[in-house]
């Protein structure tokens, strides 16, 4: 659903850029509360994993493909504020380095793919956990439904943005029907990927999953007829469970394999937005990407003639750049949290 330059007019793009900037500023503040010394490294990995899986277009119907958006996955794993930042880092890397998603449309893409998906998914996820049993299966099931609904929600958001600032005269009803119809199908793939990933992480380290906090209920003791919180139990020794380092390395290796090797076998069909844009004539005023001359444009390395090697190298580079950029952002956010927690005397 990466919107190219030229689909949305300049005033509307500017407004969405302001909305995106405000949401990112709010997310930076909110992420300070979500990130700690255990989860901050995971956030950079989540961004890299989303980048890798977005390269894996899967077929849906009628010559159309889809790929992960990632808002639901990021929100559930590392929190909604951090999730917005994760997807935004991915979109920024894709736009600058790979000419994927217009630079003038960056505000549109962040609003649609990072903010809408994350907010809708996390709201649905938290709502479901309030009525489901407090089990790991409930977390996985809720993540499936949340991800499933987040994709058509993003398609509705794009349709509304296009209704306000679309550059071509196309019936909004036709755009809405086509966009929502195909993205409901893509949502099934999004839901499956999200549920499998969340389930895998919850199975080995539920303490690192933001959305699994409900599983860690405090023990109550009755003292003089009143229920009070029991002292926290000592943590399980690291040797008895998967270490954070092992989880991080496993996630990084998986991302590199997906982007560097598996991506070669992804569907070559146009994704949902590309298909609808071509069929309905939305793309007649699409503009050339400002980064079209990038050495990594279109997810290939310039001057490397072998298609498999070119795409694989581009994917590996993309994962590496994204994990470094994301980790730098979240390390800085985490450091700001630590600085803010200092007392005035400590700061001196």
């Amino acid at each position: 659903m990466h919107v190219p330059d030229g689909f949305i007019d300049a005033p509307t793009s500017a407004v969405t850029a302001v909305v995106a900037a405000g949401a990112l500023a709010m997310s930076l503040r909110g992420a300070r509360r979500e990130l700690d010394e255990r989860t901050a490294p995971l956030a950079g990995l989540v961004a890299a994993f989303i980048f890798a899986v977005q390269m894996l277009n899967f077929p849906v119907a009628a010559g159309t493909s889809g790929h992960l958006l990632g808002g639901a996955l990021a929100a559930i794993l590392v929190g909604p504020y951090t999730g917005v930042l994760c997807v935004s880092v991915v979109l920024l890397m894709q736009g600058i380095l790979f000419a994927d998603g217009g630079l003038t449309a960056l505000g549109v893409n962040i609003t649609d793919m990072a903010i809408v998906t994350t907010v809708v998914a996390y709201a649905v996820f938290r709502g479901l956990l309030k009525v489901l049993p407090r089990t790991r299966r409930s977390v996985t099931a809720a993540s499936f439904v949340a991800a499933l609904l987040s994709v058509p929600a993003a398609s509705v958001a794009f349709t509304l943005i296009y209704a306000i600032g679309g550059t071509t005269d196309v019936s909004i009803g036709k755009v809405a029907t086509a966009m929502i119809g195909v993205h409901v199908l893509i949502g099934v793939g999004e839901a499956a990927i999200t549920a499998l990933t969340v389930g895998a992480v919850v199975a080995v380290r539920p303490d690192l999953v933001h959305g699994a906090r409900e599983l860690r209920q405090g023990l109550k003791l009755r003292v003089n007829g009143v229920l009070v919180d029991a002292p926290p139990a000592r943590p399980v020794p690291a040797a008895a469970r998967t270490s954070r380092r092992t989880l991080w390395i496993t996630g990084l290796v998986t991302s590199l394999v997906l982007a560097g090797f598996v991506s070669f076998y992804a569907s070559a069909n146009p994704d949902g937005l590309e298909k609808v844009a071509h069929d309905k004539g939305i793309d007649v005023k699409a503009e050339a990407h400002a980064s079209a001359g990038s050495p990594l444009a279109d997810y290939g390395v310039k001057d490397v003639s072998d298609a498999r090697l070119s795409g694989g190298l581009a994917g590996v580079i993309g994962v590496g750049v994204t994990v470094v950029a994301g980790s730098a952002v979240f390390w800085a956010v985490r450091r700001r949290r630590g600085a803010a927690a200092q007392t005035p005397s400590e700061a001196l």
Side-chain angles (χ1 to χ4, degrees):
M1 203 181 294
H2 295 75
V3 180
D5 295 319
F7 275 29
I8 307 298
D9 62 27
T12 306
S13 296
V15 170
T16 57
V18 172
V19 171
L24 290 176
M26 184 181 300
S27 296
L28 285 169
R29 294 177 62 88
R32 296 181 195 174
R33 299 191 297 271
E34 294 173 345
L35 296 172
D36 56 28
E37 67 280 356
R38 298 178 307 156
T39 57
L42 181 63
L45 177 62
V46 169
F49 183 77
I50 290 173
F51 174 91
V53 180
Q54 282 196 5
M55 294 183 67
L56 308 181
N57 281 47
F58 49 86
V60 285
T64 308
S65 70
H67 63 71
L68 182 80
L69 297 185
L73 178 62
I76 295 166
L77 288 180
V78 293
Y81 293 108
T82 309
V84 170
L85 297 178
C86 281
V87 181
S88 298
V89 168
V90 173
L91 293 172
L92 184 61
M93 295 299 102
Q94 290 171 332
I96 293 176
L97 298 178
F98 298 91
D100 190 10
L103 295 183
T104 63
L106 187 59
V108 175
N109 285 320
I110 290 177
T111 300
D112 192 23
M113 296 177 65
I115 301 170
V116 171
T117 58
T118 300
V119 170
V120 170
Y122 198 69
V124 171
F125 178 80
R126 298 302 302 175
L128 289 173
L129 286 189
K130 290 183 182 297
V131 298
L132 292 173
R134 298 174 185 268
T135 65
R136 294 178 182 179
R137 289 184 178 180
S138 295
V139 172
T140 302
S143 68
F144 183 94
V145 178
L148 176 65
L149 296 179
S150 70
V151 179
S155 71
V156 171
F158 169 79
T159 302
L160 293 175
I161 293 172
Y162 189 81
I164 296 171
T167 55
T168 54
D169 186 16
V170 179
S171 168
I172 298 304
K174 292 181 179 179
V175 174
T177 300
M179 284 291 293
I180 296 172
V182 72
H183 284 91
V184 166
L185 299 177
I186 294 173
V188 176
E190 177 102 10
I193 294 170
T194 301
L196 286 172
T197 305
V198 170
V201 180
V202 167
V204 296
R205 288 298 299 264
D207 58 309
L208 297 182
V209 178
H210 182 87
R213 291 179 303 172
E214 296 293 331
L215 302 181
R216 305 191 294 276
Q217 302 180 66
L219 182 66
K220 298 286 186 178
L221 297 177
R222 188 175 295 277
V223 179
N224 297 326
V226 179
L227 286 177
V228 298
D229 292 328
R234 289 189 296 178
V236 178
R241 59 187 183 182
T242 303
S243 69
R244 281 178 286 160
R245 176 178 296 181
T246 299
L247 179 64
W248 196 91
I249 293 174
T250 301
L252 180 60
V253 170
T254 301
S255 300
L256 291 170
V257 171
L258 291 175
F261 178 74
V262 180
S263 62
F264 181 77
Y265 301 97
S267 173
N269 292 331
D271 67 21
L273 177 58
E274 291 173 332
K275 179 67 172 175
V276 171
H278 177 73
D279 290 348
K280 304 301 179 184
I282 295 175
D283 60 355
V284 295
K285 293 189 177 180
E287 301 173 0
H289 200 286
S291 297
S294 167
L296 299 173
D298 298 323
Y299 297 94
V301 177
K302 187 178 181 180
D303 297 330
V304 176
S305 57
D306 185 277
R308 179 175 300 191
L309 179 60
S310 178
L313 287 174
V316 169
I317 293 170
V319 168
V321 171
T322 304
V323 75
V324 170
S327 297
V329 169
F330 300 122
W331 177 82
V333 171
R334 168 63 187 145
R335 188 175 182 182
R336 287 288 299 274
R337 170 180 170 170
Q342 286 184 318
T343 63
S345 59
E346 290 174 331
L348 293 174

